[in-house]
Amino acid sequence: MPFAAVGSSLQLTADETKALKSLPAATQITAKKALQGSITDLARLVEFMTLSISRSSPSRFCCLVPIFHATLNSVQVPKYINPKTIPAIIRAKWALLGLVTISTLATSLPSYGSDDAVTKYIVRRWDETYPWMWFFAQNCLPPPYDVSVTPPRPDLCSVSDAVKLTISPLSLICTKSEEGRHLLRSSVSVQQFAARLWILVGNLKGEVLQGDSGTTTDGLVSKLRASFALTNYVCVSESEHPDKITLPLSNFIHAAGGVKPVVFTLLRYIRRITRDVAAVEEPRSWTVSDPSVKQLHLYTVGLNYSFQFLQTISSQDPSCREQLIRQGSIRTVVDAITQILPRILVQANEELDLHPQLGLAGRQKVLWSGYSYIASAIRDADDGVTCVCQAIDAGLIQTLEKGVICPPHAHRRDRPVRGRMGDIELLFLLATFFIYHRVVASIFRHWFRMHNVPTEKREIRDEGLGAALEIVLTSTINAMDYRSVEPINFFEYRCSGPGCPMCTPKFVSKKRRCSGCLVSIYCSEKCQRTAWRNGHRKWCQVLRCTVGPWGSPDIRNSLQVIAGFETTQISGMAKDVETRVREAQQKFPAFSDKLVLMVDLTVYSPEMRVLPVHMLEQFPGRDPIWPEIADEIRARSDSPPKGYMFSVVKVHLGKSKFTLFSPSTALRMAFEGQYFSDDEAYDPVDEDEIDDSKSLGDQDLDCDSDPLDNKC
């Protein structure tokens, strides 16, 4: 005969009643009293499961699940807390704890089928479990934005239990239930719930939670923070099945309070998890059972998902991307990698290094996630130069130099493979920005720091990374050499009027920058008119094509460095250039006299291509001025180009790419005779001290017309 609750509608089916008979007699009596409404006996069932798991299989306790579901189904979520509703609230608390406990126990035994347990007991009964999860979060947890406030009713449920009732189910769903992960991605209310908890956990400082009787330790808060990173990432990640609905990122951002709270909370997560990793004691033995190894695994997994969440919101939302960079996300990620790298890139033993969860591949994965975010931030940003400067100033190159100590088993076929965007790929991406003046300034600071740090000899186990570092570091030295050639950016420090010795610090009035080319500056109207008549009329458009269509200050201030890389590449690959010219003449016979050599500096190592001038992107190839310019280059150059009109350089500032007219040619031809002579006094001024923010408004010069019309 089935169990029936006295004075209640609770009832189990015949099969469910039969299943209870497999339990000890005392437990059967407790279960019967729990169905009859005894809160004490309901709590005993949960405690019985927790205490008996070491001696029994979780499957033995599955027969108790219908009792917990029946209890939840019999009580409604109250709108108010009063003496009449308190018994129902406490019954619901123990019933929900029972479901969470049995699901958690199931996850400890993979052979039991934890995916099925979490899906059946929690996800598919979401209409029963979720309202109570929300109730306990609302009434028994501190407010997300002020965790110092004591929860209003700790007598109903301690903060420690409230965490188990609200956060633990989400963690179980994310790790063990595909159906549950889809629920998190597709439900507006669930994402609002997860965002609220994410903000709350992010604001916890690691002390005992307010409102609890001292049972919530600092270690639990750290583990909670690391484990919740996965829940947060799942909410915004792509579904495993493309045909299933995924809510837009804006929904989660709105639920969390906006872009700034999301950015601040995420960076706080990363910094605090990094601190937790650094605080883990050195493992006594690098084995699977060592507690420190398990802690390191938990925290590095949390960092991994935090980095992935960081990359997701950065790539999908421009506002988040800009705010993250503004708040120092690149520095935060570099600092995190720098601190955790020596803790996880440790040569242990073959058993641990090749372990599917705790092994070296899993430990390295967090590094690849961090490197991937930095790379995506640089590639997708409008101002990739600033991102690269932040990365170098944060010590990214030094950190990558430390990575050569790993991986072990370098000569084994089963060594862990790199990620899609690993350390070598990031190194080569950085190298494509060494052409910029600001980046070279960061490189100078890098070498200055290295000069003051004692040299530490390391065994290079990763030969691929070691070789890439050697190439890139050589490129940094070349960049510094190009930037140091005097006079540095002469066109920024001296009047461009023919024969005018006036330096910019001695200008009586504000400098006059040509609004056509954005390069030439003049001390007076007389000099600008003279320059126009003496050739600037022709080279103005060429110079404008040398600084790009928007005249980026970063490109303008870096022409000298770009010219250095351009000249070195062309001279160093002379035979390859001749071969490519012959191939282009055969491929484009109708344009054999209008070929252009492109030096592509957006990739590393730089590539060479030869194309007809009209096929170049973002370049006025059909303008009739280019044949005339090509003739002048041949006439005035000691070694004119053979087989092509002139060279161009392809650069990028992040997501924007530009094809520039050859800086080396433009500077040499447009400012012939304007270089400082050896006997001239030169008062160098850092171009950063020259205010270019108003240069276009300070007597700009329009060189589209004759200067006699007062337009130039």
Side-chain angles (χ1 to χ4, degrees), residues 426-682:
L426 178 57
L427 261 176
F428 288 161
L429 178 62
L430 293 179
T432 63
F433 286 84
F434 290 170
I435 61 176
Y436 291 108
H437 183 92
R438 282 198 289 150
V439 174
V440 181
S442 294
I443 292 174
F444 270 109
R445 291 191 288 269
H446 160 74
W447 283 109
F448 180 79
R449 291 193 301 268
M450 296 299 293
H451 179 73
N452 294 327
V453 174
T455 304
E456 181 182 352
K457 187 176 181 181
R458 298 185 181 90
E459 180 184 357
I460 298 180
R461 296 190 181 95
D462 191 335
E463 297 179 358
L465 177 58
L469 270 170
E470 184 177 353
I471 295 172
V472 172
L473 291 178
T474 301
S475 186
T476 64
I477 296 173
N478 293 337
M480 291 189 294
D481 291 340
Y482 301 145
R483 184 180 183 270
S484 301
V485 174
E486 293 189 0
I488 302 174
N489 286 352
F490 64 93
F491 50 85
E492 287 288 329
Y493 300 134
R494 183 176 178 178
C495 175
S496 297
C500 180
M502 187 69 70
C503 298
T504 52
K506 299 178 181 178
F507 281 11
V508 176
S509 61
K510 294 182 179 180
K511 64 183 179 182
R512 298 163 171 255
R513 185 179 298 279
C514 174
S515 63
C517 65
L518 301 179
V519 176
S520 299
I521 57 176
Y522 304 98
C523 64
S524 64
E525 184 177 348
K526 178 182 177 181
C527 281
Q528 75 186 55
R529 288 173 176 268
T530 304
W532 181 260
R533 296 190 182 97
N534 281 268
H536 189 69
R537 179 196 299 269
K538 179 188 300 181
W539 290 97
C540 182
Q541 181 179 356
V542 177
L543 288 171
R544 183 54 183 256
C545 290
T546 305
V547 296
W550 289 281
S552 165
D554 276 313
I555 294 178
R556 186 181 73 230
N557 294 330
S558 308
L559 292 180
Q560 181 173 300
V561 184
I562 299 173
F565 277 103
E566 174 201 6
T567 303
T568 301
Q569 290 299 321
I570 293 177
S571 60
M573 302 177 65
K575 292 185 177 180
D576 184 58
V577 169
E578 293 178 2
T579 301
R580 294 185 181 276
V581 168
R582 287 195 299 268
E583 293 174 351
Q585 289 173 341
Q586 296 174 0
K587 186 176 181 180
F588 308 104
F591 304 98
S592 59
D593 59 339
K594 295 183 180 180
L595 298 177
V596 176
L597 173 66
M598 174 186 285
V599 183
D600 190 351
L601 298 180
T602 64
V603 294
Y604 195 84
S605 299
E607 296 178 353
M608 299 281 192
R609 291 194 293 275
V610 179
L611 297 169
V613 66
H614 69 275
M615 294 182 63
L616 298 179
E617 298 177 3
Q618 295 181 346
F619 196 78
R622 296 181 181 180
D623 195 293
I625 192 176
W626 301 119
E628 180 182 347
I629 294 297
D631 292 340
E632 185 162 344
I633 292 172
R634 294 188 183 94
R636 294 168 55 183
S637 177
D638 295 334
S639 55
K642 299 179 180 179
Y644 57 92
M645 299 171 64
F646 46 79
S647 59
V648 296
V649 180
K650 189 174 184 180
V651 301
H652 64 154
L653 290 169
K655 65 181 180 182
S656 302
K657 296 185 178 181
F658 307 94
T659 300
L660 312 177
F661 183 88
S662 167
S664 61
T665 301
L667 294 179
R668 185 175 68 253
M669 297 295 181
F671 297 100
E672 187 175 19
Q674 296 300 304
Y675 291 86
F676 292 104
S677 59
D678 295 336
D679 59 347
E680 285 181 316
Y682 173 60

Side-chain angles (χ1 to χ4, degrees), residues 181-195 232-239 241-255 309 312-313 316:
R181 289 191 292 272
H182 172 63
L183 178 67
L184 263 65
R185 297 186 183 105
S186 59
S187 172
V188 174
S189 61
V190 176
Q191 283 203 353
Q192 291 175 343
F193 179 62
N232 188 51
Y233 169 68
V234 168
C235 287
V236 299
S237 62
E238 293 292 332
S239 175
H241 298 285
D243 56 333
K244 289 189 176 181
I245 299 174
T246 301
L247 291 173
L249 177 63
S250 58
N251 181 76
F252 184 89
I253 294 175
H254 176 74
F309 179 77
T312 299
I313 66 173
Q316 293 186 14

Side-chain angles (χ1 to χ4, degrees), residues 44-256:
R44 286 176 181 172
L45 290 181
V46 178
E47 294 172 357
F48 173 71
M49 288 191 302
T50 305
L51 296 175
S52 302
I53 186 57
S54 59
R55 302 187 300 270
S56 305
S57 171
S59 58
R60 183 179 181 183
F61 307 109
C62 290
C63 57
L64 296 176
V65 171
I67 297 178
F68 301 136
H69 280 309
T71 302
L72 279 181
N73 196 36
S74 67
V75 291
Q76 293 183 349
V77 180
K79 296 182 179 179
Y80 306 100
I81 300 176
N82 52 49
K84 293 182 178 180
T85 60
I86 286 178
I89 294 172
I90 296 178
R91 290 181 66 196
K93 179 190 78 171
W94 286 111
L96 187 55
L97 273 176
L99 295 175
V100 173
T101 300
I102 188 64
S103 299
T104 303
L105 296 178
T107 62
S108 63
L109 298 176
S111 59
Y112 173 66
S114 56
D115 190 346
D116 293 339
V118 175
T119 301
K120 289 191 301 183
Y121 302 157
I122 297 179
V123 177
R124 293 179 182 171
R125 306 298 289 266
W126 194 250
D127 291 340
E128 296 175 4
T129 57
Y130 175 65
W132 283 106
M133 290 168 59
W134 179 265
F135 175 85
F136 288 113
Q138 191 76 19
N139 293 280
C140 301
L141 288 177
Y145 293 98
D146 190 358
V147 294
S148 63
V149 177
T150 303
R153 295 303 298 261
D155 55 318
L156 290 179
C157 179
S158 69
V159 175
S160 178
D161 283 342
V163 167
K164 296 178 184 178
L165 294 172
T166 57
I167 297 178
S168 296
L170 295 179
S171 299
L172 290 172
I173 287 172
C174 291
T175 55
K176 299 299 181 180
S177 175
E178 180 180 339
E179 188 175 329
R181 289 191 292 272
H182 172 63
L183 178 67
L184 263 65
R185 297 186 183 105
S186 59
S187 172
V188 174
S189 61
V190 176
Q191 283 203 353
Q192 291 175 343
F193 179 62
R196 171 189 171 91
L197 295 178
W198 179 63
I199 296 291
L200 168 65
V201 174
N203 285 331
L204 297 178
K205 296 181 180 180
E207 298 94 6
V208 175
L209 286 171
Q210 296 293 327
D212 200 7
S213 58
T215 58
T216 304
T217 63
D218 179 75
L220 179 58
V221 173
S222 299
K223 293 175 182 178
L224 184 67
R225 185 163 44 237
S227 61
F228 201 77
L230 171 59
T231 303
N232 188 51
Y233 169 68
V234 168
C235 287
V236 299
S237 62
E238 293 292 332
S239 175
E240 288 94 337
H241 298 285
D243 56 333
K244 289 189 176 181
I245 299 174
T246 301
L247 291 173
L249 177 63
S250 58
N251 181 76
F252 184 89
I253 294 175
H254 176 74

Side-chain angles (χ1 to χ4, degrees), residues 270-281:
I270 295 174
R271 288 192 292 268
R272 289 181 175 173
I273 296 177
T274 302
R275 179 199 62 191
D276 294 334
V277 174
V280 174
E281 295 182 359

